[in-house]
Amino acid sequence: MEKILKVEKIEKYYGNKSSLTKAIDSISFEVEKGEFVAIMGASGSGKTTLLNVISTIDRVTSGHIYVGGVDITKLKGNYLNKFRREELGFIFQDFNLLDTLTAYENIALALSIQNVGAKEIDKRVRDVAQKLDIQNVLNTYPYQMSGGQKQRVASSRAIITNPKLVLADEPTGALDSRAAKLLLERLNYLNKELDTTILMVTHDAVTASYASRVLFIKDGKVFNEIHKGEISRKEFFDQIIDVVTLLGGDLNDTF
């Protein structure tokens, strides 16, 4: 199986010698092509920092991160920008859509930057819109959309370039339960039917239960991990709750 992501003994420190904080403590793990992996942990556990260094928003203090075999910890400047633009997809909690562009234009922007032809852009935008069921909002602006529609537009934008890895940061955090369920079903569709590789940070056990594997982060380290395998989503949810309970005092912070 092809390894899309390899995280190798990474560490991340903040501050200076007089006040040093170790946000990530020698974390290593791998994600194979087509996996849907969730990362859970209490506030301050290091999960957001972990996502930030994988997404190239931040840099590790030591260790290496490989995406598609490329050591992204060594990339700089235009090489890093090009890699981020072409190989990574991003889904943010607050959508990060451009208010002055329609849904169509928001989705198409990444392809326009890559100088893809107009006909190919149109084909790919309409194809992904159909897959995420947002054909009816392509000509509307973000302020005219519901939260769920905005998030599905953001998800469409994330996968339009066929990235090696899609990174989702609390994708259901700003959605009501119905919109969250619909988004998670669509992400599950992208993962199962289109073989999209997804790494998602979440506080929510229900959201995590849609993944095929969950990594639990505590004090900057991998505390535990569980695989869904062939069990039902309800059974996987119960297993997630069991591990969260083992985190003890962190329980209330995790949800």
Side-chain angles (χ1 to χ4, degrees), residues 65-79:
I65 301 170
Y66 301 88
V67 177
V70 176
D71 187 350
I72 64 173
T73 62
K74 293 183 177 180
L75 296 179
K76 295 180 180 178
N78 291 334
Y79 294 103

Side-chain angles (χ1 to χ4, degrees), residues 71-233:
D71 187 350
I72 64 173
T73 62
K74 293 183 177 180
L75 296 179
K76 295 180 180 178
N78 291 334
Y79 294 103
L80 179 58
N81 292 335
K82 183 176 186 294
F83 186 88
R84 183 189 297 126
R85 187 169 61 240
E86 296 180 359
E87 305 296 349
L88 299 176
F90 300 91
I91 304 174
F92 301 97
Q93 179 177 340
D94 57 357
F95 319 128
N96 281 15
L97 298 176
L98 297 175
D99 292 334
T100 57
L101 300 182
T102 64
Y104 183 104
E105 292 165 339
N106 266 284
I107 298 168
L109 185 60
L111 295 178
S112 299
I113 292 172
Q114 294 182 15
N115 295 316
V116 176
K119 286 186 178 180
E120 177 65 14
I121 288 177
D122 188 67
K123 176 180 179 297
R124 288 166 68 173
V125 169
R126 296 191 184 282
D127 180 58
V128 74
Q130 186 273 325
K131 289 180 171 64
L132 284 167
D133 194 24
I134 52 168
Q135 306 97 309
N136 62 327
V137 300
L138 285 178
N139 294 320
T140 62
Y141 291 90
Y143 72 89
Q144 298 171 309
M145 303 176 206
S146 68
Q149 289 170 333
K150 289 178 184 177
Q151 193 58 292
R152 279 181 283 153
V153 170
S155 301
S156 299
R157 179 186 58 189
I159 66 169
I160 193 71
T161 58
N162 298 317
K164 285 187 170 65
L165 179 65
V166 171
L167 301 163
D169 184 9
E170 300 282 3
T172 61
L175 304 179
D176 60 36
S177 59
R178 181 179 176 278
K181 183 175 184 292
L182 183 57
L183 174 67
L184 289 166
E185 288 173 349
R186 295 297 174 178
L187 289 179
N188 195 53
Y189 169 82
L190 293 174
N191 173 246
K192 299 295 185 185
E193 302 301 323
L194 303 184
D195 210 26
T196 303
T197 307
I198 303 172
L199 183 67
M200 172 180 70
V201 163
T202 181
H203 280 88
D204 181 49
V206 173
T207 299
S209 71
Y210 280 82
S212 56
R213 177 162 57 115
V214 181
L215 291 173
F216 297 87
I217 306 298
K218 182 177 182 179
D219 299 329
K221 298 180 180 181
V222 176
F223 172 77
N224 201 346
E225 73 170 292
I226 56 175
H227 296 254
K228 183 178 181 183
E230 300 301 317
I231 65 175
S232 69
R233 191 169 65 79

